DNA sequence: TTTCCTTACGCCTATCGTAAGCATA
DNA sequence: TATGCTTACGATAGGCGTAAGGAAA
């Protein structure tokens, strides 16, 4: 098969229609250029140029081959540049996992930030629960995940990304709506929509601890995994709920949000997690950006 | 810049994920293969493969570069094949010139023939008057022309392609329509639509000689260059006309065609003309086909 | 200890440049 | 005779294969 250097030789001659000038342009002398063209023609099994000491012109085969040769050279150059950019982290793909609730709050801002700082990078967003994100990171399907804190994370690095205060979601006809803010004690013995211990163990445990420390026992009418389902139940008047403040972005007609008066350590943490052995150069740039 | 051989090396390794097997597949030993990959990586200024003695896998740059490399190799192979086919005359373009009138008769058959014999060849048809065809041949815009016989054709080869008998075109109300065939003498002193001497000198001279030899003098009411214009005048009842039989394919409501009884040398010749120095291999195949 | 990629080194092919050859206007 | 492509030929760079090196399971 021919080589790219031969294509460059041919393109130069085909455009100059003069071996001497083409050789000059290629920083070589004419004889080896002639030879390269001959080798290319032998390889193609077709003459590309009709030449004598007076003129050089393309054959029909040469006319067909010229644009192909140029295209191949252009693609090769593009491939080189594109690969370099990907390696430098200036281009490529960043696959971000997020839990449904985390997305409401910080994702839009994050997207704007990433797009501004790394314009060549494509971002793929995938909504996944925490455990699925950990698996996806392990199998290389995700580059970075946004999850609620969990314990066993040996192989990954993580850091706290943000903390959210809790807000109370109340049915519109709940008398508590008259107050500007809610105390945990206000919820004692009142109907309450709780996070389920399996699908949302972090929030389940967080609220469980909050209630226990305050010696409050709400009347748990439902246990639900997803925030939008909880809000739907609140909207239907089943009771109140406690959610991270980002959930207030979800608007339901019969749901009112009121801030929860609680010590500042009763916040919902959102962690960022990634594989330090990732080969994706974009990840590194993302981490320095954050 | 890298070379195609290096792309082949990389693709083999990237697909095998094993230097030894890839080298085998490439009919070489591992060490030079390693070296080629190293050279490619240095050229791209990005690592393509992460390798240790236990495993080989692609980097993000390698994942981007692999499909590009395959594409470039595929295009190179296609370019080679396509160019060969063009050179062998199995593919390419044949540009055929024809005079308006010649097209009516033989072009459709010719097209069918060419397409059947040379399926990969694109045919470009251009209607041009004889002189324009000669110019187009000289400047390489046409490969072959179908023209009426002319004299000065030094640089081109030509051969007679076909001869057409002449037919008389008569207005529908002309009493001559009652006859099954027409004698030249029938046209004496009758209104006649003639070819113009400049735009259709061949037919003008042919008919002039025909009339002179038969001592016939029709009453020439118009001189026109193009056959469809002549037939339009016949249709309008201006007079009769003599045309090559292919013109009978043009149907006008008030025009009747009748064969002309004449010696067989009073026929309209259609010549094929081409440049023997043409570099188009399709032409050669076309000539042997005809 | 085995596997397997890399480094080291000698050989050889292939390309380059210089110089001569040759055809055309 | 001048221009310009091709052929000839010696020097050299670069690729290949063999052999040794080294890291990981």
């Amino acid at each position: 098969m021919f080589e790219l250097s031969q294509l460059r030789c041919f393109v130069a001659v085909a455009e100059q229609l003069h071996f001497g000038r083409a050789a000059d342009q290629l920083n070589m002398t004419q004889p080896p250029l002639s030879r390269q063209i001959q080798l290319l023609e032998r390889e193609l099994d077709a003459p590309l140029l009709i030449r004598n000491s007076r003129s050089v012109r393309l054959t029909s085969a040469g006319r067909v081959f010229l644009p192909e040769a140029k295209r191949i050279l252009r693609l090769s150059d593009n491939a080189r540049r594109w690969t370099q950019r990907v390696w430098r982290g200036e281009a490529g793909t960043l696959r971000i996992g997020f839990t449904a609730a985390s997305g409401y709050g910080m994702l839009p801002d994050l997207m704007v930030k990433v797009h501004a700082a790394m314009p060549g990078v494509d971002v793929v967003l995938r909504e996944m629960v925490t455990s699925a994100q950990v698996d996806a990171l392990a199998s290389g399907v995700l580059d970075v995940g946004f999850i609620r804190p969990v314990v066993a994370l040996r192989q990954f690095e993580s850091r706290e990304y943000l903390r959210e205060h809790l807000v109370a979601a109340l049915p519109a006809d709940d008398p508590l709506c008259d107050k500007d803010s809610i105390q945990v004690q206000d919820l004692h013995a009142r109907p309450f929509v709780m996070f389920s211990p399996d699908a949302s163990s972090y929030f389940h445990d967080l609220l469980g601890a909050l209630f226990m420390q305050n010696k409050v026992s709400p009347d748990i009418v439902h246990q639900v995994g997803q925030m939008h389902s909880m809000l739907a139940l609140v909207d239907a008047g089943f009771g109140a709920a406690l959610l991270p403040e980002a959930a207030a972005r979800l608007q339901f007609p019969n749901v009112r949000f009121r801030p929860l008066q609680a010590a500042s350590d009763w916040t919902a943490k959102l962690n960022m997690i990634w594989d330090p052995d990732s080969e994706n150069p974009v990840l590194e740039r993302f981490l320095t950006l954050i």
Side-chain angles (χ1 to χ4, degrees), chain A:
Chain A
M1 178 63 93
F2 53 81
E3 288 296 341
L4 291 181
S5 58
Q6 296 174 327
L7 297 189
R8 267 187 292 278
C9 288
F10 169 61
V11 169
V13 176
E15 292 190 333
Q16 297 284 344
L17 292 177
H18 190 286
F19 278 67
R21 283 195 296 275
D24 234 37
Q25 181 186 315
L26 294 165
N27 290 316
M28 63 194 297
T29 54
Q30 228 168 356
L33 174 59
S34 282
R35 182 144 177 70
Q36 287 305 319
I37 298 291
Q38 287 164 14
L39 287 172
L40 179 57
E41 288 177 322
R42 173 175 307 186
E43 177 60 45
L44 292 173
D45 203 20
L48 297 173
L49 296 158
I50 295 176
R51 55 251 198 215
N52 51 45
S53 56
R54 282 298 128 187
S55 75
V56 175
R57 61 189 210 282
L58 289 164
T59 63
S60 58
R63 266 194 298 277
V64 167
F65 191 66
L66 178 58
E68 298 297 319
K70 284 175 159 181
R71 180 147 159 251
I72 291 165
L73 290 174
R74 200 180 55 241
L75 281 173
S76 300
D77 202 48
N78 286 345
R80 203 191 71 234
R81 271 208 281 272
W82 178 246
T83 305
Q84 276 176 358
R85 287 178 46 115
V86 166
W87 182 245
R88 295 201 205 108
E90 297 166 11
T93 305
L94 186 69
R95 297 156 303 178
I96 300 178
F98 65 99
T99 57
S102 69
Y104 307 145
M106 95 315 169
L107 261 193
D109 294 344
L110 187 66
M111 290 298 89
V112 169
K113 215 160 150 185
V114 167
H115 195 71
M118 307 186 286
V121 172
D122 292 325
V123 177
V124 175
L125 290 174
R126 304 197 57 181
E127 188 201 318
M128 307 168 90
V129 296
T130 296
S131 62
Q133 286 191 52
V134 173
D135 291 346
L137 274 172
S139 62
V141 173
L142 275 191
D143 295 306
V144 62
F146 286 91
I147 62 174
R148 300 298 170 182
V150 287
V151 269
L153 289 177
R154 229 140 284 194
Q155 53 181 322
F156 303 122
E157 283 193 30
S158 67
R159 49 160 278 196
E160 191 177 303
Y161 182 69
L162 57 77
R163 296 181 181 210
E164 295 177 86
H165 290 289
L166 297 176
V167 295
L170 305 169
D173 56 3
D174 192 308
L176 286 174
C177 288
D178 298 338
K179 304 178 69 169
D180 282 342
S181 66
I182 303 293
Q183 306 287 114
V184 182
Q185 287 76 14
D186 295 335
L187 300 170
H188 184 71
R190 297 180 66 88
F192 190 77
V193 180
M194 183 62 170
F195 284 96
S196 78
D198 43 321
S200 296
S201 62
Y202 173 72
F203 280 108
H204 179 86
D205 297 350
L206 179 73
L207 297 189
L210 174 65
F211 290 139
M212 181 167 303
Q213 184 173 321
N214 288 278
K215 299 186 175 59
V216 170
S217 297
D219 172 20
I220 292 173
V221 292
H222 282 295
Q223 293 201 120
V224 183
Q226 302 263 18
M227 294 190 194
H228 55 87
S229 308
M230 297 175 69
L231 288 173
L233 293 178
V234 174
D235 186 64
F238 281 98
L242 286 179
L243 301 160
E245 57 192 346
R249 303 216 183 189
L250 287 178
Q251 294 295 331
F252 281 76
N254 295 319
V255 175
R256 301 291 177 269
F257 292 100
R258 294 288 179 274
L260 181 74
Q261 298 285 5
S264 64
D265 38 324
W266 295 110
T267 51
K269 293 177 190 169
L270 185 66
N271 282 4
M272 195 169 78
I273 180 176
W274 68 93
D275 181 354
D277 295 333
S278 163
E279 321 140 6
N280 190 343
V282 177
L283 176 61
E284 198 173 339
R285 292 194 67 210
F286 176 76
L287 293 175
T288 60
L289 172 68
I290 301 302

